[in-house]
Amino acid sequence: AKCSPGSYADVHGLDSCKDVPEGNFQSEPGATGYMPCLAGSYCPAGASVPLTCPRGTFSAATDLSSARQCANCTLGHACQAGSISPAKCSPGSYADVQGLDSCKDVPEGNFQSEPGATGYMPCLAGSYCPAGASVPLTCPPGTFGNATALSRAGACAPCWRGHSCPAGSLLPVQCSAGFYADKLGLPECRPVPEGNYQNKHAAWSYLPCTAGHYCLRGSSAPLACPKGTFSSAFNLTSENDCIPCPVGHSCFIGSVSPLPCARGTYAPTPGSTNCTLCALGSAQPLVGQNACVECGSGTFANIKGRQECLACPPRTSSVGGASFCDICDDGFYRFDSQTPASPFNCIDCPSQSACSNDTTLASMVLHQDFWRQSSFTSVIYKCRNTPGKSSNCIGASATFLPSKRALEEEHRALTPVLGLEGVDTRNTDYCIEGSEGPLCELCTNLDQYFDQLDLKCVDCPSLGPTIGIAAILIICLVTTAAFIGMLLWRPPASLHAVSNWLKRIVVMANRMNVQAKFKIIVSFYQSWTALDTVYGIEIPAKWQEVFTWVSFDLGGFLLPWPCLGGFIAQLLTLGLYPFVLILVAVFALLVIQLVRRVCLQHWSSSQQKTADVLRPASAAAGESILPASWTDEDEAGPSKLSPLPPLSIQAGSAACAIDAPSRDETLVAAKEDPLNAPLSATPSGNSDVKMCALRNPDAKTHSMQHGVVINALMHKGVSIFIFVTYCLLVPTCRTIFSAWKCVSFVYWDSPERRISFLAEDYSTRCSGAGYERVLAVAWPLLVAWPVATPLLYILALVLSRQAITKRRPRYSRLARSITFLWRDYKPALFFWEALDIYRKLLVSGFVLFIDTEHGTDKVARLLFGLLVSVLFFAAQLIAMPYNKTSDDLLSCFAQLLLICCYIGGVAVKLCDPAKNACYSLTGFQSDSEASTVIVVTSLVMLAIPAAMMFDQIFFMKRTVTIRSVKTREPPHLSLSTGMLWNLFLSHIWSSGQDQMAVVKRQLQLLLPGIKVFLDVDDLIEIGDLETYIEQSNIILLFLSRGYFKSRNCLRECQALCDMSKPLVLLHEADMSKGGAPLDEFRSDCPSKLKMHVFNKREVITWHRVADFQLLSLKLILEHVVFNGTMFSSGCLPMEQPQEFGHRLYVPGELTRQPVYFKSRPIVYTSTNNPGAFACLSQLQLEWAASTLAQKKELTQTSARHAQIVITTKFPLSGEHNGVGFMYARSLQKLVSASGFGHRETSKTSVGSKTVQVAEAAEEVLAGATQSENTLCPPFEGSRQPSKELLPTCAIIYLNKETFIGETGDKLADEVRQLRHLGIPITLLHENDPDSGCEFATFFIVTPSDLIDDGLYNKIAVPLYPPPHLAVSAVMCAKELGSLSAVTTRRSFCNLLFACSISGQRQHREERNGRASSEDGFV
């Protein structure tokens, strides 16, 4: 068999065909061999046919046996099945892997232009590539492809606005300037239409053409309008659309609007491209002007193009159109026209003048009221002026000035002259006609003078009318003084009211210490008035006129000084007339003394016959009553006493006939005068007969010897000299110092030259013979006044030093004569007045020597015055020299105000109106404000003392005075011929000086106008004591320790005995204050005086407690008013109008107040308190007496309210002692028993237990309650009070038996129980010498537990013997609840509240065993 295809049998005999070996094939059957496999195929073993290589493979070999042996198709090629070799991929396809049977198409957005590519490329920008693209296709016009791999045309982006896109554009192309693309997808940009422009690229719009420009088609920028044109419109399309530039403006290229020419430039024509600069001397301050403005006066333009003309430098000016300043401005001047104008050469015009442009020194115009010495000086002085009046200085105006050239020629001609040869000192150029000289205050007519008030020259008054006016003034002054003296000393009956008013004014002035205030005010204003004349502080004229009275410039007020001869006459008059005034006053006193002497001699002779008839027996001639061992060492010491005449009772004199037994029978023929009237009487029962007073007929006793008169006048002259020179010292010294006070006036500026005139007389230059004559007069006056007069003051004070410091001026006539200098000061500072005088001389006189010519324009004097015042003020604050604190305060206040004045003066000096520096330096707006401060201080200095005196006057108006019971008016005192004093106070200095000063002061307060002689005030010569006694109506002897051992006191007693003067005894009972028992005084009194001094004479006890002292003073005044007045008239009535002590009264005094108990008090008195019951009984009598004195009768109603219920039953005893309550129903019995209504029977003290009162009180105690004795019902109802009713208060009567012995212990127990029950205890302290004792004793005898419990914390009511018992009774009633002493009291002592304090202090000190140191109730 044939071998099948794919087998073969190449030999025979094969049972089987052989398989074709690998790599071969046999397609034919029965083949004996095989063929190699075809290329592109493979043949396995036994292959009948070649098998093609699979797709994607190829093979060129022929021996392939399997498909694996086919090679893969290479990259970039494709291999079909059976491929012998790879086929390259066509463009647009690629084979990126092996074994591909076909190439792949390039995907969209890519392309492949090369065959056999193994890959592809992205489509190029600006193109697009569809699938299988062999090349990129460009984007259509109006689009762009800025990305690769675009697959289609629609993938190209539309072109942007402002861009153009040609075909195949990768990116949009920007439109260039001048083009635009307003839509998307434009293939090209459009040009900008005309009238618009686009200066930016990629624009999709265009801009309108700007103002000042025009735009062509496709303009990338506006084209500017040419020079000289402008346009404010938009969208211009051509150059012709621009507008030409107007005048005053300039237009540059592309001007939108015309540019106004700047300041300092101008444009005169249209179409100007530039502005022109202003020329020199002109300027243009505005813009857009077609011309420049010429510079005005005072301005200049020194360079071109000035926007404004420059102001000339300070002080300079110019004319119009000037390119520099060549003249001085308004308000400035230069020396002359040749002097270049500059800030240095142009000088401030004085404020008192007017300077226009181009003013020179010579052409300066002065204002009204101003003056200068010459036309070559700029120093201008203010003339004296008064509001409403024009001065003599008329100034000068341009219309009256000569030509400028003439003035300058005169100026140049006098330039070499530096002395006074070229200066007319009269200088009438600036004065009104008729005036000349400095400040136009000299009159060209010598018969005229310059009136400083009317500010003009007036005719001198004739001498005749002037003398007549002076005589009339002197007569008026003398008449007024005589009339006032008559009112004070001898007023007629029709003028008693005026006299009392005037006397009250005198008393008020003394009480207010007007002298000290007068000196303080005068000192202040004497220093204040120097501010104008010495310090140059201008005070308004109206105020200067007000205060010129302090200068005491009495000279020249009738005839002006220029009419009297000028300043020399003024110096002589002011320097000498005070001494003439002193001599005239001394001469007037001499005449008065001689007239008084003649009248006294005539009066003495008329009284001689009466004295001869009634003269008693004379004492032995030459018999002295003064023992040799008695001295006055207790008063002044032997070395200080002047020889005293021996005291003796001369034969033939009216000495006291003490030993004459018939004296009382002769003089006391009727009822004895209880007021110790002068020793004379008439038969009893004859009321029409009067007792005539005795007088000493010896003419030598009544008259003053010529030597005594001259001596007294000398000391009066010293007093007048002190007063007159004190008032005139400062103003006179100021006038004297004015001789060195010159006023200089500048007459040449550079170098400065001055001419000096005497400030007080401008007609006298401070050089030459005229001024030498002035100094020749001034030097002696300088020695006499500011040097010698204060030294005389100091010398007098030094000589009187011991008498002043010991306050014993009675032993130094000189000390009494100069009391004006030292009386107001403390003894240790008696020299203070001299210090104050030197202070005033320093600040108002000697200060003139500081810069004599220019001192008034500088502050050096003010600083000196301020320093002196501050030092004196500090010294015064430390020393406080015045006796009264109010005067110290006023003086310190005056110094403080004066310091303020000096400070204000410094402010005035610093206020320069020309520099406007017043406010910045001083705080004042002007110097007038500072002057106003000075004036206000002066007014305050007047207001303060006025307010002080007004306050004291108002107080004194409220102060009550003593009045007559009969007339209800102050009693009138009269002095007969030869009498000078109503009362003479005789006392010893060592123990009575202070109290006598109190007595005098209080008497003058109670009875204004009373004349009281007190040695410290009125004694001139101690050798004239008898004369003073003779000239006094009544004599008061103050009985204090050592009185009858004083030589001078015995002289006074002898004189009053010889002259039969009425006598009042005032007893100092306080042992700690120089008192002594009356028996001691009786024993000390010489036997020949004892009868007259002590014979049945009432002795008034002196008290220091207010209410008791008031009663003592009232008793003294009763003697003065009734005994003294009757004695001065020469006769005494026999019948007394009222009993002693009840003829005068003081409104509101305690003794005149009725006792009124609203609810009757129940008063407990212990039977263990000796005298307590009798004490209350006596007090009931006094209450009834007080009520009777006011009601005139003792009615049941008035008596009932003046009663108390007295009980002796102790509240806790439980027993009844038989008395129970003793109502005041037994008052009538007590009244009857005590003799009430007869005052002489009730003058025994409570302590002595008046027999009638004590017996009546014991009878009442023994008789229990008796309804039949009731004077008035005990209560308002008829019901009797319960016996168990507790007392409302208790009385402890403190006497020498209180708390003594067994009864004292019982009393102490009762007091403890009373205090335990809370019952008020009233202490009554007995001060009677017989039964009373010192209050300190009770601190010894009283149990200590009661003292510690405060028994004596309450002040005890003092009980004094009558008549002071009435005061004690009312004080006790006040303690018991009387309303009269609480709600109705308006007494003298309440107004003077210090009295109550002094009284309480006395009781408190008595309780503590000490004596009070108070001297009075004022």
Side-chain angles (χ1 to χ4, degrees), residues 1079-1097:
D1079 292 340
E1080 181 178 331
F1081 292 112
R1082 290 189 179 95
S1083 63
D1084 290 344
C1085 182
S1087 58
K1088 294 184 179 181
L1089 295 176
K1090 187 178 301 182
M1091 179 65 67
H1092 183 74
V1093 174
F1094 290 103
N1095 184 29
K1096 297 183 180 180
R1097 192 178 303 278

Side-chain angles (χ1 to χ4, degrees), residues 773-960:
R773 289 193 297 271
V774 171
L775 294 182
V777 176
W779 276 113
L781 294 177
L782 178 68
V783 175
W785 279 96
V787 177
T789 301
L791 289 179
L792 288 176
Y793 291 169
I794 296 175
L795 179 62
L797 290 170
V798 171
L799 294 177
S800 307
R801 176 175 175 271
Q802 186 170 2
I804 295 173
T805 54
K806 293 183 178 181
R807 278 293 190 255
R808 292 185 175 182
R810 63 184 291 181
Y811 297 108
S812 172
R813 279 194 171 187
L814 182 59
R816 293 192 298 273
S817 301
I818 62 172
T819 52
F820 184 81
L821 295 177
W822 60 265
R823 186 177 68 181
D824 301 316
Y825 302 104
K826 297 174 183 176
L829 299 172
F830 65 94
F831 54 85
W832 196 266
E833 193 65 61
L835 293 180
D836 188 54
I837 288 174
Y838 275 112
R839 176 195 65 80
K840 291 186 291 184
L841 291 178
L842 282 175
V843 300
S844 61
F846 289 105
V847 72
L848 285 170
F849 288 109
I850 299 178
D851 196 357
T852 56
E853 289 193 4
H854 311 103
T856 54
D857 301 326
K858 309 297 182 183
V859 297
R861 291 181 182 176
L862 282 169
L863 295 179
F864 176 80
L866 180 62
L867 176 63
V868 172
S869 298
V870 168
L871 293 178
F872 192 81
F873 177 62
Q876 189 155 1
L877 285 177
I878 296 173
M880 301 298 282
Y882 286 90
N883 290 322
K884 290 190 175 183
T885 305
S886 60
D887 295 335
D888 278 319
L889 296 178
L890 181 61
S891 181
C892 291
F893 189 75
Q895 286 300 316
L896 184 60
L897 291 181
L898 195 59
I899 292 172
C900 295
C901 289
Y902 288 128
I903 296 175
V906 173
V908 172
K909 292 295 184 183
L910 294 178
C911 283
D912 188 353
K915 298 180 179 179
N916 297 323
C918 190
Y919 184 78
S920 60
L921 293 177
T922 66
F924 294 108
Q925 296 294 340
S926 63
D927 56 350
S928 60
E929 288 188 5
S931 300
T932 303
V933 172
I934 297 176
V935 172
V936 169
T937 57
S938 64
L939 296 178
V940 170
M941 189 55 210
L942 279 178
I944 294 300
M948 294 173 62
M949 289 188 288
F950 176 79
D951 179 69
Q952 295 187 35
I953 290 172
F954 180 74
F955 170 77
M956 290 185 178
K957 284 184 176 180
R958 296 181 297 160
T959 303
V960 295

